[in-house]
Amino acid sequence: MNTLKYQTTIKNGQLNLPPLDLPEGTVVEVILLIKESAQTDETDYLLSTEANRQHLKEAVELLKNPDNYIYVDAAKL
């Protein structure tokens, strides 16, 4: 079985896909995977639990002290 994967957004109740290079009469099975929320951004996700919020707060505090920085010479990579 071959698989094609596309991500698109429903507009006006319609699903739009690019033209498929498949022979006429090809039998396909379509399964729609609906994402929980297209509006959830990374910040909301990262702040979604108390543990994550605390970890991020501690990381921000560490960034206030330049002694915690690790400098990398890109030329040596």
Side-chain angles (χ1 to χ4, degrees):
M1 176 181 287
N2 292 320
T3 304
L4 299 173
K5 180 179 178 182
Y6 296 98
Q7 182 170 321
T8 188
T9 303
I10 302 293
K11 293 180 183 169
N12 297 321
Q14 295 191 359
L15 174 67
N16 296 312
L17 295 174
L20 303 174
D21 186 25
L22 297 171
E24 181 135 354
T26 299
V27 176
V28 299
E29 181 176 330
V30 178
I31 300 171
L32 299 178
L33 302 173
I34 302 167
K35 292 191 173 195
E36 296 255 340
S37 173
Q39 301 301 318
T40 301
D41 72 10
E42 291 83 3
T43 303
D44 289 339
Y45 174 76
L46 290 172
L47 297 173
S48 65
T49 67
E50 181 58 37
N52 279 358
R53 287 190 293 274
Q54 185 62 32
H55 181 72
L56 289 172
K57 183 178 176 183
E58 290 169 6
V60 169
E61 288 301 316
L62 287 173
L63 287 174
K64 292 179 180 178
N65 182 354
D67 291 338
N68 293 322
Y69 295 1
I70 298 173
Y71 295 93
V72 177
D73 184 353
K76 294 181 180 179
L77 294 177

